[in-house]
Amino acid sequence: MRKSFAIIGLGRFGGSVCRELIKSDQEVLAIDSCEDRVNEYMNVATHAVVANAQDEATLRSLGLRNFDHVIVAIGEDIQASILVTLMAKEMGVPRITAKAQNEYHARVLDKVGADTVVHPERDMGIRLGHKLTSNNMLDFIELSEDYSLAEVIVTNKKFYNRTIEEINFRQHFHLTIVAIRRGKNELIVSPPANQMILENDILLVVGHNDNVDYLDDKMNR
């Protein structure tokens, strides 16, 4: 279903979100106080306007409350980020996602009404850290403080040519295999218990961080 999004702040984060939403054929209003940034997205977003998002009358004139989802992607101005999030909430925007600079900022955004708070720099650091310290973990996405989604490549011979049931995967690792990537083109979604695991298969697993690390460690043995 096509939805309407308003993105406030067209830095690297906001700009990336804008481009991805447009690729998905969504309606996007891009807002920034910098004319050069707005000009850059004039032919990308559905609409792009130069505006001071800290002015409530301006946000109302843009019909912010009529959008399905507002993304507050303001960069380093924490005060502006909090104020815009609060105003969007008070206008009755159905869903608000806001970018946080740090944990304190995140707590305030949560208090003033953000439905989702994202930490792009922190999350990218976590993903990179896991990639650098693991030979088998291809990607790592933190879902919460304790749970993650990870891609782990099968390099332990004890897994080769055995089914998920034979490995007793869920009971042994306390993880759920969401999908298996095999080669360049094959994706096995929600694999059944009798699904065979092959060398160099990539397991997309979800579960507690400790269990993800345990599976990654087992692949090195």
Side-chain angles (χ1 to χ4, degrees), residues 25-174:
D25 194 33
Q26 305 301 314
E27 179 186 347
V28 180
L29 169 65
I31 305 168
D32 200 289
S33 59
C34 175
E35 186 174 355
D36 288 342
R37 284 181 177 173
V38 171
N39 288 337
E40 184 181 345
Y41 287 90
M42 196 67 74
N43 296 321
V44 177
T46 312
H47 305 285
V49 298
V50 179
N52 176 14
Q54 295 184 65
D55 182 66
E56 185 175 354
T58 298
L59 293 182
R60 289 189 181 279
S61 70
L62 291 171
L64 200 71
R65 68 185 181 88
N66 298 318
F67 285 83
D68 297 314
H69 199 144
V70 169
I71 296 97
V72 182
I74 295 171
E76 296 180 356
D77 192 338
I78 291 177
Q79 181 176 328
S81 165
I82 294 168
L83 177 61
V84 172
T85 301
L86 177 60
M87 289 192 296
K89 187 68 176 181
E90 290 179 340
M91 287 178 196
V93 173
R95 187 159 188 84
I96 302 167
T97 294
K99 172 189 173 184
Q101 296 293 326
N102 51 53
E103 291 301 326
Y104 171 75
H105 185 198
R107 289 200 299 271
V108 177
L109 289 170
D110 183 63
K111 293 283 187 185
V112 299
D115 298 288
T116 303
V117 178
V118 295
H119 306 73
E121 288 84 4
R122 184 204 66 179
D123 293 346
M124 184 54 69
I126 290 171
R127 293 174 72 175
L128 179 59
H130 275 83
K131 285 185 179 182
L132 293 175
T133 57
S134 169
N135 293 322
N136 305 292
M137 198 176 298
L138 303 181
D139 205 355
F140 180 91
I141 300 174
E142 195 174 37
L143 302 177
S144 70
E145 188 175 341
D146 297 316
Y147 289 85
S148 302
L149 184 73
E151 283 188 336
V152 180
I153 188 167
V154 177
T155 56
N156 186 325
K157 293 180 180 180
K158 294 179 180 178
F159 286 72
Y160 297 173
N161 304 314
R162 298 180 68 194
T163 66
I164 294 172
E165 186 175 33
E166 287 171 340
I167 296 169
N168 202 17
F169 189 89
R170 192 180 183 97
Q171 289 73 24
H172 189 70
F173 295 101
H174 304 289

